[in-house]
Amino acid sequence: MVEAKDIKSSDEIAWCPGCGNFGILNAVKKSVAKLGRDLKDILFVSGIGQAAKLPHYIRCNCFNGLHGRALPVAVAAKIANRKLTVVITTGDGDCYGEGGNHFIHNIRRNLDITLIVHDNQIYGLTKGQASPTTDPGYQTKFQPEGVIEEPLYPLEMAIALGAGFVARGYAGDYEHLSWLILEGIKHKGFALIDVLQPCVSFNKKNTFEWYSKSIYKVNDDGSYNPEDKMLAFQKSCEWGDRIPIGIIYQVEKKTFEEKTGLEGRIPLVDEQIENIDICGLLREDFT
Amino acid sequence: MNMNNELTIKIAGEAGQGMQTVGGALCHVFKDSGFYIFANQDYMSRIRGGNNFFQIRISNKQLYTLRQKSDIVVALDNKSVDMHRKDISKEGIVILDKKRFNITGEDSAFFDIPMYHMAKEIGGDEKFVNSVACGFLAEMTGVDFRYVDKVLRTAFSDKKKDIIEKNIEAARAGYDFSINNFKKDIFKIKKGDAKDTLLMTAIDAVGLGAIKAGCKFYSAYPMTPATNLTNIMAHYAKRFNMVVEQAEDEIAAVNMVIGASFTGVRSMTGTSGGGFALMAEGLSLAGMTETPIVIYEGQRPGPATGFPTRTEQGDLDFLISAGHGEFARLIFSPGSIEEAFYLTVKAFNMAEKYQIPVIIMSDQHLADSYRNVEIFDPDSIKVQRYIVSKEESKNVKNYKRYQITESGISPRAIPSWIEDPIYADSDEHTEEGHITEDAWIRTMMVEKRFYKKMAGLSGEIEKPKVFDVEGADCVLIGFGSTYGVLSEMKDSIPDKNIGYIHLPQVWPFPASDMIELLKGAKKIIVVENNAGAQLARLLKRETGIKATRSLLKFDGRPFNVDLLIQQIGQEI
C-alpha cells in the first residue's frame, strides 16, 4: 500500500513560502495514496507555470511540456496506454488562456482523464499579469487601469460544453480537495477540478482571508443534486459573497475509449509491431 | 502511330463535374489493359465552377512525369475548349459537344460528339457524360470494352444496380460512337505489361509505410495536400488497430503525437507548410524531450495560404531550421512513390533510434500523382525497435530518462513498464529529467541533443542517388518530386553528356558524398520548384560548392519534361 509520504520525490520544491500550491500538492498526494494504484501506472502531465511544476514533486510518471499544451499530450498518452491513470496539473493562464482551444475540445473528446486547474486568477511565474479569470477592475502592471475584460467562468463553460464532472476545490481545505480529486479520478470520463488557490505574491485580492469569508460546501446539507444541469449553472455563477465548492455537476457520459472501442482492446502500447502484415493491402486499389 | 508510343489525355471542365471520378476510372482502365500511366489533376481551391483538369499520360514503359502538350483533350464545358485548345500536340484533337457549348466555328482539331445528348438519352441525366467520355476514350486508344465494364462496376459498386447499368450503357454508347465515327488509328498505341502493378500516389505509399512501420496513433488537422494521408490512415484504422484523431488544430496534433510517443506508441502527423508553422513549437518540444515523432509535410506554395491546391518546394529552408533552439532532426525528401514507402518505414525506425523528430518532406505534385509501381517487397522491410522492452524493463533500476551516454542516446523506457517513474521535461533538465539551471548540465545536454545525435545521424545518411555523373559535362541536382522529371529528361536527350543526382535526404545534408561526387563537375545545375534556389544555397553552405546555375519554377505548377529539356538545352 502506497502512503502519502512515499509519493514525495527528491526534487526540491521551487514555490514561494505559503503558496496555495502546497495545499494542492498535499491533497494530490493523499488522493494518489488512496487511489491504491502502483505509482508507475500513474502519469501526471503539465504545461508551463507554477502549477506545472507539481508533477516533479511526486514519484509518478511526469511529462512537463509546453505552455497551454498539457491536454493534447495527456489525452494522447491515455489513448496510447488506456491503463494509465492520467492527471493534468495546470494553471488558469496555462489552461484557460494559452490552452483554451484544447480545453474546449478535450471536454468534447471526453477521455477518462482528470484536469486539476490551480486557479489563482493571476499569472504568477511571469510576475503578476491578469489571467482569464482575474476579477474585473483588478490592477496589474500590464493592466494599470484595471482589468476591463469579462472574466472567463470555467465551471459554466465546462458544463455548457458537456463535461461529465465539474467541480470546484479550495487549496485551503486540503481534506475536501483530496476527496474531490479522488472523485474526479474515479469518474469515468473527463473531470475538471478548478481549485481556488491564493497567490501570496501577486494576487492581493483573492487571499486566504478573502476566501475564508465566502466559501461553503455545495452539498453541506446533503440535498444538492449534482445531476441537475440548470442548478449546476446557477451554482457555478455564484461568486464573491458566496462561493460554493464541491462537485457542482456530474453525469455519466460515454467516453472516447468506449466510443472508439479502445476499452475492449489491449493498450496500443502493448501491440507487437515488428511483423505487421500488409501483403493484403498490396493487392488493393488505392485511387 | 505515335512516334514515342505514348499519349497524353486531358479531361477538363468545372469543379464538381466529376473529372476525378472519370480520371481515376480511366487510370484503372488503362492499367488493367497493360499501360503504364502517370496521372495527376490540376484543381482550383473551390468546390464548384472554375476550371480543373485531370491529365493521364500512358505508354508501354514506366512513366515518371508529365508532358507539356496533350494529344487528346476532352472538354466538358465551353470554357475548357478555349483554355486547352492551344496546348494540344501537332496531331492532337479536342473532343467537344459543339451543340451543347454553342460553338459554330470549324477547327480541324475538333472532334464533335453529342456527349451530353447521349448521356441524357441513355441515363436520363447529363451526369452520365463522364461514362460516355470514358467509353470513347477507351475505344480511341484501342482498349477492349471489358476493361471499362469491369472498372465502372468497381467504381460505382456502392451505387444502385440501375445506376451501375446506366453508366455502363453510357460508356458503351461512347465506345460505339468512336467505332462508327472516329475512324483513325493514330491514338492506338502499343500496350505494356503493367497489369500486375499497383496504382497509387506517394501519399498512399506514405500511409502504407506508416502502417507497416507500426504507427498506432495518427492525429492531424485537415490541410491540402496532406488530407489524403489522414483519409488513408482513417480508412485502415480499424483493420490495423490504429487510432486516427482529428485534432482541434495543428498545435494539438503535434503535441498529441508527442504524448502518444512518450507513452510508447509509434505516432505520426501530417500537414502542409502553414500547419507545420504551427507545429514548430511542438517540433522543438520533441527535440528537447527527446521524443520520437514523424511528421509528413506536403509542401504547397506559400507564404501564408498561398496556392492551396498547387505545388512548390519552398519549405526546405524552413524545415531545416524550424523550431527554436538547437537540436538534431532528420529530413527525408522522397522522389518517387517507392521511396516514399521505404523512407516512411525508415523514418519511424530512425525517429525511435535517435529519439528525434523526423520529417518526410514531399509536395502536392508527388503526393497527388498516380503512377504504377511494382508491388513492394514486405520482406525487405525491417521494423526495428529501440526501446527498453517489457522484458528488459523488469531489471531496470534507478532509471534516468536523460542519462548521458557516448552516443547521446539514452535508453528509452516506457512508462508503466518499468518500476521507476519517468520524468520528461521541456525545461532544461538533469539526467533524471528534473528542471535545472546548472551551466554544466546545460552544456552536456546540448551536446547530447545536438552534437552527438547529429554525429550519429551523419554516419547513416540515406545516400544521394547518382546517375552517370562521372565524367559528365553537366550535373543536374534535385530533391523530392523533381526526381521523376530529371530521370525522364535525361533519357530524352541521350546525345548530351549529362548526369544527375537526386537527394532522398536533405538533412543532415550528405556533404561529404556531394563533395566527392561533384569534385570533377564542369557544370552544376540545380533544379528546384522554388524562387530562392534553396537547395543550391544549402549545397553551398554545407560543402562550399557553388552551382553554376539554378533552374527555378515557382508558378505553382510542377516541371514537365518538355520544358526542362528546352531549358537544359539552352544551358549546355
Side-chain angles (χ1 to χ4, degrees):
Chain A
M1 181 71 192
V2 184
E3 286 180 46
K5 64 175 170 44
D6 304 327
I7 296 166
K8 188 179 174 299
S9 85
S10 58
D11 201 33
E12 188 196 341
I13 295 182
W15 291 325
C16 309
C19 175
N21 277 324
F22 287 98
I24 302 174
L25 175 62
N26 289 334
V28 164
K29 281 195 215 157
K30 186 169 179 184
S31 27
V32 165
K34 275 200 160 171
L35 188 64
R37 295 212 70 190
D38 275 353
L39 297 183
K40 70 178 177 62
D41 296 325
I42 303 171
L43 168 65
F44 276 79
V45 182
S46 62
I48 295 301
Q50 296 291 24
K53 292 176 181 169
L54 186 145
H56 282 286
Y57 308 144
I58 50 177
R59 292 198 79 258
C60 295
N61 294 297
C62 148
F63 190 97
N64 183 191
L66 297 173
H67 194 35
R69 314 296 172 215
L71 272 170
V73 171
V75 295
K78 182 73 182 176
I79 290 170
N81 186 354
R82 63 176 177 80
K83 288 194 171 163
L84 288 173
T85 294
V86 178
V87 181
I88 300 101
T89 63
T90 174
D92 41 320
D94 194 44
C95 186
Y96 306 135
E98 189 101 14
N101 201 25
H102 312 307
F103 177 70
I104 291 172
H105 293 285
N106 283 304
I107 289 178
R108 294 179 53 225
R109 223 169 242 130
N110 197 32
L111 272 107
D112 186 12
I113 56 176
T114 307
L115 175 68
I116 304 171
V117 185
H118 302 213
D119 191 351
N120 59 10
Q121 298 171 264
I122 206 82
Y123 279 79
L125 197 53
T126 52
K127 305 195 173 170
Q129 301 80 11
S131 92
T133 54
T134 304
D135 286 335
Y138 190 76
Q139 290 176 323
T140 78
K141 282 184 186 165
F142 209 138
Q143 290 84 15
E145 307 293 326
V147 171
I148 54 169
E149 283 91 357
E150 281 289 318
L152 180 147
Y153 300 102
L155 306 184
E156 274 182 79
M157 197 168 155
I159 296 165
L161 287 165
F165 184 99
V166 179
R168 181 187 277 143
Y170 174 44
D173 189 343
Y174 135 88
E175 289 288 348
H176 180 256
L177 180 57
S178 74
W179 168 76
L180 267 186
I181 293 171
L182 197 58
E183 289 300 306
I185 294 173
K186 281 192 209 155
H187 174 81
K188 204 170 174 184
F190 184 94
L192 167 68
I193 301 150
D194 186 78
V195 185
L196 303 172
Q197 177 224 339
C199 170
V200 293
S201 296
F202 296 107
N203 189 334
K204 303 297 181 198
K205 183 188 171 195
N206 312 106
T207 58
F208 279 108
E209 201 185 4
W210 185 84
Y211 282 123
S212 64
K213 289 181 201 143
S214 47
I215 275 180
Y216 74 98
K217 297 198 173 86
V218 71
N219 200 18
D220 248 349
D221 60 1
S223 69
Y224 184 76
N225 176 13
E227 288 184 22
D228 184 336
K229 199 168 189 174
M230 294 329 281
L231 184 63
F233 270 123
Q234 208 183 325
K235 282 290 158 195
S236 62
C237 293
E238 281 185 24
W239 186 255
D241 294 340
R242 303 256 304 148
I243 302 176
I245 60 170
I247 300 171
I248 307 290
Y249 184 59
Q250 186 173 16
V251 285
E252 266 182 44
K253 302 183 87 116
K254 256 198 164 174
T255 62
F256 181 95
E257 295 90 320
E258 288 169 324
K259 286 192 259 187
T260 52
L262 268 175
E263 192 163 271
R265 307 208 306 246
I266 61 161
L268 292 182
V269 67
D270 289 332
E271 293 219 25
Q272 287 295 323
I273 62 164
E274 281 87 345
N275 295 303
I276 291 173
D277 183 7
I278 59 162
C279 291
L281 291 191
L282 300 179
R283 287 190 290 271
E284 290 171 17
D285 286 327
F286 292 95
T287 53
Chain B
M1 194 70 177
N2 183 302
M3 286 285 286
N4 298 316
N5 197 58
E6 62 162 84
L7 285 177
T8 293
I9 300 162
K10 192 186 271 183
I11 301 145
E14 288 183 9
Q17 279 195 303
M19 253 83 61
Q20 201 186 359
T21 316
V22 66
L26 272 168
C27 286
H28 285 282
V29 169
F30 288 129
K31 190 213 90 170
D32 288 354
S33 60
F35 285 111
Y36 287 94
I37 70 152
F38 184 94
N40 80 343
Q41 54 172 334
D42 183 294
Y43 58 107
M44 301 172 81
S45 183
R46 54 194 291 174
I47 297 164
R48 302 226 175 258
N51 190 273
N52 290 0
F53 58 86
F54 194 100
Q55 49 195 337
I56 311 169
R57 194 176 155 214
I58 62 173
S59 169
N60 64 331
K61 58 180 197 319
Q62 276 276 13
L63 299 171
Y64 300 93
T65 184
L66 299 168
R67 285 271 180 203
Q68 200 161 23
K69 293 193 182 292
S70 307
D71 302 298
I72 306 171
V73 169
V74 180
L76 292 176
D77 68 345
N78 188 321
K79 228 186 325 178
S80 299
V81 178
D82 275 350
M83 279 189 77
H84 300 287
R85 167 68 182 91
K86 59 186 184 304
D87 292 327
I88 59 170
S89 62
K90 213 166 144 214
E91 296 209 345
I93 61 166
V94 178
I95 293 168
L96 73 172
D97 187 334
K98 284 174 82 172
K99 194 173 168 203
R100 171 72 201 279
F101 303 161
N102 285 325
I103 293 174
T104 49
E106 290 300 318
D107 185 325
S108 59
F110 284 176
F111 180 61
D112 185 26
I113 301 180
M115 49 187 162
Y116 279 94
H117 178 72
M118 288 162 72
K120 195 145 192 196
E121 232 182 27
I122 296 157
D125 193 317
E126 286 196 339
K127 72 181 180 210
F128 291 95
V129 71
N130 283 315
S131 292
V132 177
C134 197
F136 61 67
L137 279 171
E139 201 285 326
M140 279 174 169
T141 51
V143 171
D144 199 291
F145 189 75
R146 69 191 153 101
Y147 295 113
V148 180
D149 185 286
K150 186 195 142 210
V151 167
L152 290 184
R153 280 184 202 283
T154 315
F156 295 106
S157 59
D158 57 339
K159 299 268 191 300
K160 283 192 192 126
K161 194 163 176 276
D162 165 52
I163 300 290
I164 301 172
E165 292 308 324
K166 277 182 180 170
N167 272 294
I168 289 165
E169 249 181 86
R172 184 81 232 185
Y175 199 86
D176 291 344
F177 189 91
S178 180
I179 294 176
N180 298 328
N181 297 281
F182 189 75
K183 292 176 174 161
K184 291 185 214 169
D185 282 340
I186 51 166
F187 302 128
K188 292 194 166 71
I189 60 167
K190 206 172 132 206
K191 296 179 185 65
D193 55 357
K195 280 180 189 160
D196 295 327
T197 55
L198 277 177
L199 206 54
M200 64 165 72
T201 66
I203 219 156
D204 292 327
V206 170
L208 280 186
I211 293 168
K212 175 67 201 166
C215 177
K216 290 286 161 206
F217 180 73
Y218 182 92
S219 176
Y221 188 84
M223 188 170 188
T224 307
T227 310
N228 281 340
L229 181 56
T230 312
N231 295 348
I232 188 165
M233 297 303 275
H235 182 73
Y236 291 114
K238 267 222 164 85
R239 200 159 138 192
F240 290 93
N241 270 351
M242 302 185 290
V243 172
V244 177
E245 178 65 1
Q246 181 173 333
E248 54 271 26
D249 53 34
E250 286 88 348
I251 297 170
V254 71
N255 278 279
M256 286 171 90
V257 165
I258 291 169
S261 179
F262 167 72
T263 321
V265 160
R266 287 195 169 186
S267 311
M268 183 186 204
T269 182
T271 188
S272 184
F276 186 80
L278 291 180
M279 290 184 187
E281 177 200 46
L283 187 82
S284 183
L285 177 66
M288 183 53 136
T289 56
E290 306 192 39
T291 311
I293 60 169
V294 178
I295 302 176
Y296 169 81
E297 210 257 290
Q299 298 168 93
R300 70 189 214 190
T305 311
F307 264 166
T309 61
R310 304 198 182 279
T311 200
E312 195 162 270
Q313 297 182 307
D315 297 347
L316 176 62
D317 282 348
F318 179 42
L319 295 196
I320 284 170
S321 54
H324 49 295
E326 297 163 305
F327 56 94
R329 77 192 70 189
L330 173 59
I331 305 174
F332 290 132
S333 48
S336 66
I337 294 167
E338 294 86 343
E339 259 185 15
F341 175 76
Y342 292 106
L343 287 179
T344 301
V345 180
K346 189 174 175 187
F348 279 92
N349 288 338
M350 295 293 279
E352 195 165 273
K353 180 171 183 184
Y354 288 93
Q355 303 170 22
I356 52 164
V358 177
I359 301 164
I360 300 160
M361 173 169 50
S362 188
D363 57 47
Q364 184 272 334
H365 180 53
L366 189 65
D368 286 349
S369 299
Y370 303 107
R371 189 169 63 76
N372 322 60
V373 294
E374 297 299 326
I375 294 173
F376 306 130
D377 175 14
D379 295 331
S380 69
I381 310 152
K382 267 218 153 69
V383 172
Q384 285 161 306
R385 296 227 72 177
Y386 301 91
I387 52 172
V388 180
S389 72
K390 212 167 192 174
E391 198 57 30
E392 294 162 337
S393 292
K394 289 175 191 151
N395 307 317
V396 177
K397 293 270 176 305
N398 301 320
Y399 179 71
K400 291 176 178 173
R401 174 66 193 92
Y402 302 111
Q403 190 192 331
I404 300 288
T405 61
E406 207 158 303
S407 64
I409 301 166
S410 320
R412 182 166 155 249
I414 303 301
S416 89
W417 286 9
I418 64 162
E419 283 301 322
D420 290 329
I422 300 173
Y423 294 93
D425 208 292
S426 67
D427 255 82
E428 190 54 270
H429 41 252
T430 60
E431 286 184 275
E432 290 81 5
H434 287 308
I435 297 169
T436 183
E437 305 218 7
D438 186 286
W440 182 80
I441 295 176
R442 162 71 185 175
T443 308
M444 299 291 283
M445 286 296 168
V446 174
E447 282 177 3
K448 167 183 170 48
R449 291 187 299 260
F450 190 39
Y451 291 168
K452 288 179 176 177
K453 287 191 183 186
M454 283 300 278
L457 286 167
S458 299
E460 48 182 323
I461 279 177
E462 186 70 23
K463 295 270 183 199
K465 286 210 164 110
V466 184
F467 302 88
D468 304 325
V469 161
E470 211 173 324
D473 292 326
C474 175
V475 178
L476 306 174
I477 304 173
F479 70 108
S481 68
T482 57
Y483 179 35
V485 75
L486 286 180
S487 55
E488 272 206 38
M489 187 229 58
K490 202 183 156 307
D491 290 345
S492 302
I493 33 177
D495 54 320
K496 299 271 200 292
N497 193 9
I498 303 172
Y500 76 95
I501 299 171
H502 158 67
L503 301 173
Q505 178 178 326
V506 287
W507 194 260
F509 192 77
S512 52
D513 292 302
M514 292 303 275
I515 290 169
E516 184 62 28
L517 288 166
L518 294 173
K519 66 184 175 196
K522 297 182 192 89
K523 199 164 199 173
I524 298 165
I525 301 180
V526 185
V527 179
E528 41 189 325
N529 258 135
N530 60 50
Q534 296 183 26
L535 181 64
R537 283 193 283 122
L538 183 64
L539 174 72
K540 181 154 186 281
R541 191 183 101 185
E542 297 297 314
T543 64
I545 299 169
K546 194 171 178 300
T548 322
R549 180 121 160 73
S550 282
L551 283 182
L552 307 172
K553 196 169 192 291
F554 42 91
D555 57 358
R557 277 73 176 172
F559 281 99
N560 63 65
V561 64
D562 305 294
L563 181 73
L564 204 58
I565 291 170
Q566 198 189 333
Q567 287 180 319
I568 301 281
Q570 285 166 4
E571 293 299 321
I572 53 177

